């Protein structure tokens, strides 16, 4: 098969894709700013690695509810309308978070609701892309989305650290609310993108959506590969405690948060622009295994420059998720796509949230560096077991 001929310029030549991409980037920049604000606020008030990890995990755990109960809305209603409604509701809730003297418990409850509404928006966005783009253009479109998604993590964490340091945590939530409003305005210019056959979406039971994934060997394998990301995301939750452990100021800890997303961006470019499409599926398992090796170095408590390099390497190798994501979505029938995406997103974010909470507990005893290394080891073992057990399912040509 020849060298890939479809580039990012071909994807961005599609006006509908540009609008969807722009709306996503704007809202996600605001989300990362808000996450930095929450983590900083909690650590300032408690100085607890466990509570800090919990606060970060709470921005992911709501997907358990949203993915299982709300994501199916993307298969029952015009997907544009689902995204607009989710954005506007989240804008209102985030404004409430910005109210002065808001107790931490109430802040957590509002944050939970905001993140639960991300599930139907994400499912609708994922379901739209195969309708909007086709063939290799779809794969490149997914890659472009992942690149910009991780770039917003980098910018959001870096700029977020500066903004929170200059203004305090609360104003960051006002900015986040404004980004949701702008996102809704951009999405309102999209076509409706109704499901291909909404009449077939009858009584969308959770069991049916789970069986869509588990009943298909390739989908099942791709889902398991996606879940491995739970192990490699723990450094994000432990960045502030790790920074304190090696003597960093809290403001510089945002560099550690940005390192994995930065590596992910670089890895995605290499994987989609330098690796042939027919070769990528064969690399999924080996890349997943290799992605955890850099995390083992955290046990040595290396200085900031070395730790940044390790985290960048971890992120670059984790870019295999781009290929797994694109293949997963394309394999699911359109009328079930929103629900299936919601289920796997719920499972992944729940696993990430649980891993972050457990990592916070481990860090209380082993230190943040030790906890990162322990989870890197666990992830490597899980990836090795998956690679060996599913070798017969890997493409051979």
């Amino acid at each position: 098969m020849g060298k890939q001929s479809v580039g990012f310029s071909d994807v961005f030549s599609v006006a509908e894709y540009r609008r969807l991409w722009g709306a996503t980037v704007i809202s996600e920049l605001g989300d990362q700013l808000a996450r930095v604000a929450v983590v900083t606020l909690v650590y300032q008030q408690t100085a607890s690695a466990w509570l800090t990890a919990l606060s970060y995990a709470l921005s992911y755990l709501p997907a358990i509810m949203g993915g299982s109960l709300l994501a199916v809305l993307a298969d029952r209603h015009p997907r544009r309308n689902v995204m607009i409604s989710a954005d506007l509701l989240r804008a209102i809730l985030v404004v409430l978070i910005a109210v002065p003297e808001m107790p931490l418990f109430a802040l957590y409850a509002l944050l939970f609701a905001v993140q639960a509404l991300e599930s139907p928006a994400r499912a609708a966005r994922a379901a739209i892309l195969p309708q909007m783009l086709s063939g290799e253009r779809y794969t490149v479109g997914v890659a472009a989305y992942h690149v910009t998604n991780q770039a917003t993590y980098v910018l959001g964490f870096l700029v977020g650290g500066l903004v929170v340091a200059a203004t305090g945590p609360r104003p960051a939530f006002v900015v986040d609310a404004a980004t949701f409003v702008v996102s809704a305005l951009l999405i309102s210019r999209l076509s409706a993108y109704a499901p291909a056959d909404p009449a077939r979406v009858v009584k969308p039971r959770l069991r049916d959506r789970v069986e869509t994934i588990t009943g298909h060997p390739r989908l099942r394998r791709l889902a398991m590969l996606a879940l491995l990301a739970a192990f490699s995301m723990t450094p994000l939750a432990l960045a502030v405690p790790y920074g304190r452990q090696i003597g960093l100021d809290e403001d510089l800890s945002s560099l550690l948060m940005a390192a994995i997303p930065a590596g992910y961006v670089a890895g995605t470019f290499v994987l989609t622009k330098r690796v042939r499409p027919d070769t990528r599926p064969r690399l999924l398992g080996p890349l997943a295994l290799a992605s955890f090796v850099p995390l083992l170095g955290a046990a040595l408590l290396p200085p900031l420059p070395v730790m940044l390099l390790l985290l960048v390497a971890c992120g670059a190798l984790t870019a295999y998720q781009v290929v797994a994501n694109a293949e997963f979505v394309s394999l699911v029938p359109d009328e079930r796509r929103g629900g299936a995406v919601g289920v796997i997103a719920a499972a992944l974010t729940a696993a990430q949230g649980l891993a972050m909470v457990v990592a916070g507990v481990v860090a209380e005893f082993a230190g943040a560096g030790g906890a990162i290394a322990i989870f890197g080891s666990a992830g490597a073992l899980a990836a090795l077991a998956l690679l060996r057990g599913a070798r017969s399912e890997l493409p051979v040509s």
Side-chain angles (χ1 to χ4, degrees), residues 78-113:
R79 287 155 178 168
R80 176 194 60 193
N81 298 352
V82 171
M83 289 188 290
I84 291 174
S85 299
D87 276 345
L88 294 179
L89 286 172
R90 285 184 289 177
I92 295 171
L93 293 173
V94 172
V95 167
L96 294 177
I97 295 176
V99 173
E101 306 303 326
M102 176 69 67
L104 278 179
F105 176 81
L107 185 150
Y108 283 160
L110 290 168
L111 183 64
F112 188 97

Side-chain angles (χ1 to χ4, degrees), residues 224-280:
M224 294 172 70
L225 281 169
L227 291 174
L228 290 177
F231 294 98
S232 58
M233 294 299 288
T234 52
L236 294 179
L238 296 176
V240 174
Y242 182 86
R244 177 62 62 86
Q245 195 173 6
I246 63 172
L248 288 182
D249 292 335
E250 289 178 15
D251 296 343
L252 291 178
S253 296
S254 61
L255 293 174
L256 294 169
M257 291 182 175
I260 287 181
Y264 194 98
V265 170
T268 299
F269 269 110
V270 172
L271 192 58
T272 57
K273 301 297 291 182
R274 295 291 182 264
V275 179
R276 289 170 36 164
D278 58 335
T279 301
R280 296 173 199 153

Side-chain angles (χ1 to χ4, degrees), residues 23 28 37 44 46 59 95 98 132 140 154 185 194 216 228 239 251 254 309 337 345 350 374 383:
E28 288 186 349
Q44 285 176 350
T46 67
S59 67
V95 167
M132 186 180 289
V140 175
V154 176
L185 291 174
H216 190 298
L228 290 177
D251 296 343
S254 61
L309 288 175
R337 191 169 287 144
I374 288 170

Side-chain angles (χ1 to χ4, degrees), residues 72-208:
V72 74
L73 293 174
D75 292 332
R76 305 182 71 185
H77 304 284
R79 287 155 178 168
R80 176 194 60 193
N81 298 352
V82 171
M83 289 188 290
I84 291 174
S85 299
D87 276 345
L88 294 179
L89 286 172
R90 285 184 289 177
I92 295 171
L93 293 173
V94 172
V95 167
L96 294 177
I97 295 176
V99 173
E101 306 303 326
M102 176 69 67
L104 278 179
F105 176 81
L107 185 150
Y108 283 160
L110 290 168
L111 183 64
F112 188 97
V114 169
Q115 295 303 319
L117 288 168
E118 168 64 14
S119 293
R122 182 193 298 116
R125 185 167 59 242
I128 278 178
L129 281 178
Q131 295 179 300
M132 186 180 289
L133 305 170
S134 60
E136 182 62 14
R137 182 175 287 189
Y138 165 69
T139 301
V140 175
V142 172
Y145 169 75
H146 277 259
V147 166
T148 51
N149 172 263
Q150 296 302 310
T152 60
Y153 268 62
V154 176
L155 292 175
F157 285 138
L158 293 178
V159 177
L162 296 175
V163 171
V164 171
T167 67
R170 303 280 179 185
F173 299 118
V174 177
V175 176
D176 191 20
T179 63
F180 283 128
V181 174
V182 175
S183 174
L185 291 174
L186 287 173
I187 292 171
S188 68
R189 300 182 60 194
L190 295 177
S191 302
Y193 288 103
D197 191 359
R200 295 181 60 182
V201 187
V202 180
K203 295 182 179 180
R205 297 174 299 177
L206 177 60
R207 185 179 67 182
D208 295 334

Side-chain angles (χ1 to χ4, degrees), residues 346-364:
L348 175 57
T349 51
Q352 288 175 334
L354 178 60
M356 290 174 183
V357 172
V358 175
V361 175
V362 174
E364 296 287 351

